[in-house]
């Protein structure tokens, strides 16, 4: 399938919540896969969506093991994907959503590849990411998941904290992370699972997708494996010292 046709097929799969079979795209290289991702995101922007940031995937061993891959990947975020903190999120139009706890960065200045990530950060926040692979059963090759904008579907951001309030960004290297569904612990972990220190994710994002302009939101990657996200569920993620972020999925029809 050529890149434009695959981008259209992935876009339609997302809009109609009808998954494609994974493994059959014929994509072999990452350059080709990112060209498909760009064409896919361009379709969203042409419908009026606004770019808001970048996300990284497979930044933790738990996620790499869960999905059977070993490479860092990146995708694009848009305003249409943002879920207000504490808000309601309709999952009825999704295929098989999963949710994972993350750390988000807000850039106060441009970050070029090789630039100083700490100097560019305006604030950090606890975050939730909803992923929804457009491939049947979350089964895909690495180029296929890159083409599918790294399964991006939605994200919620908790309160922003300035680095000075943490005594500097080194504090982020090992903070406890909790993911609760309906008040029950679903996953626990540490920010150390994110490349050993989430700040490294920022440097990686600048290298892979930079320069990143001021105002960019970066989802640094999951601190735990992702868990299924059914309708009618209250979700809360807590990152020590950063606080909590919440969402509730709509009831089943
Ligand atoms: O956010 C992520 O970790 C990207 C994951 C992409 C693969 C998946 O669908 O789990
Ligand atoms: Mg993620």
């Amino acid at each position: 399938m050529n890149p434009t046709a695959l981008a259209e097929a992935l876009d339609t799969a997302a809009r109609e919540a009808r998954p494609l079979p994974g493994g059959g795209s014929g994509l072999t290289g990452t350059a080709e896969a990112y060209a498909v991702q760009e064409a896919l995101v361009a379709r969203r922007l042409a419908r009026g969506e606004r770019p808001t940031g970048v996300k990284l995937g497979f930044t933790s061993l738990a996620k790499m093991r869960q999905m059977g891959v070993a490479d860092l990947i990146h995708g694009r975020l848009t305003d249409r994907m943002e879920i207000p903190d504490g808000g309601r999120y309709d999952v009825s139009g999704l295929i098989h959503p999963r949710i994972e706890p993350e750390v988000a960065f807000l850039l106060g200045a441009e970050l070029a590849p090789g630039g100083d990530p700490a100097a560019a950060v305006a604030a950090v926040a606890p975050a939730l990411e909803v992923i929804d692979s457009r491939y049947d059963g979350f089964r895909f090759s690495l180029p296929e998941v890159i083409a599918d904008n790294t399964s991006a579907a939605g994200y919620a951001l908790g309160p922003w904290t300035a680095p000075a309030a943490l005594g500097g960004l080194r504090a982020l290297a090992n903070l406890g992370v909790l993911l609760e569904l309906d008040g029950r612990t679903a996953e626990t972990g540490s920010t150390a699972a994110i490349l050993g220190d989430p700040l490294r994710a920022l440097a990686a994002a600048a290298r892979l997708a930079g320069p990143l302009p001021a105002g960019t939101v970066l989802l640094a990657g999951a601190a735990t494996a992702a868990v299924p996200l059914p309708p009618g569920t209250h979700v809360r993620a807590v990152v020590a010292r950063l606080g909590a972020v919440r969402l509730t999925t709509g009831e089943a029809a």
Side-chain angles (χ1 to χ4, degrees):
M1 202 180 276
N2 72 50
T4 313
L6 182 54
E8 185 179 345
L10 286 164
D11 195 31
T12 304
R15 283 154 71 85
E16 297 181 355
R18 273 195 287 168
L20 303 174
S25 67
L27 281 176
T28 51
T30 54
E32 192 188 8
Y34 280 111
V36 176
Q37 183 192 110
E38 202 177 319
L40 174 63
V41 174
R43 294 176 68 91
R44 298 184 73 122
L45 302 184
R47 290 197 290 272
E49 296 183 35
R50 193 174 49 79
T52 52
V54 171
K55 59 162 282 189
L56 288 182
F58 303 142
T59 47
S60 74
L61 272 180
K63 284 283 304 194
M64 285 187 194
R65 282 199 194 113
Q66 183 179 33
M67 305 314 296
V69 301
D71 267 333
L72 207 57
I73 58 177
H74 69 276
R76 300 283 170 176
L77 305 174
T78 73
D79 60 342
R80 182 81 204 282
M81 299 176 190
E82 189 165 353
I83 307 158
D85 184 13
R88 216 169 170 71
Y89 182 58
D90 182 6
V91 289
S92 63
L94 300 183
I95 299 166
H96 40 200
R98 296 178 178 177
I99 194 156
E100 54 193 24
E102 305 217 1
V103 169
F105 291 97
L106 176 65
L107 296 190
E110 181 183 276
L111 179 59
D116 176 4
V121 174
V124 292
L128 283 164
E129 188 189 12
V130 179
I131 54 172
D132 190 36
S133 175
R134 270 58 68 165
Y135 299 105
D136 218 1
F138 269 85
R139 280 188 297 276
F140 40 67
S141 66
L142 189 72
E144 284 174 339
V145 66
I146 291 170
D148 185 26
N149 197 22
T150 65
S151 307
Y155 66 98
L157 303 171
W160 290 111
T161 299
L166 298 169
L169 289 169
R170 296 179 76 133
L172 285 184
N174 185 8
L175 300 176
V177 177
L178 167 70
L179 177 66
E180 283 176 359
L181 266 60
D182 291 330
R184 283 186 283 274
T185 300
E187 293 283 340
T188 56
S190 161
T191 54
I194 305 168
L195 294 179
D197 178 344
L199 208 50
R200 292 202 184 116
L202 198 45
R207 179 171 46 81
L208 296 169
L212 305 174
T216 295
V217 168
L218 173 76
L219 291 185
T224 72
V227 301
L229 179 63
T233 306
H234 299 287
V235 184
R236 184 173 82 119
V238 183
V239 180
R241 301 195 60 193
L242 299 186
V245 52
R246 298 173 178 80
L247 62 82
T248 301
T249 56
E251 294 297 329

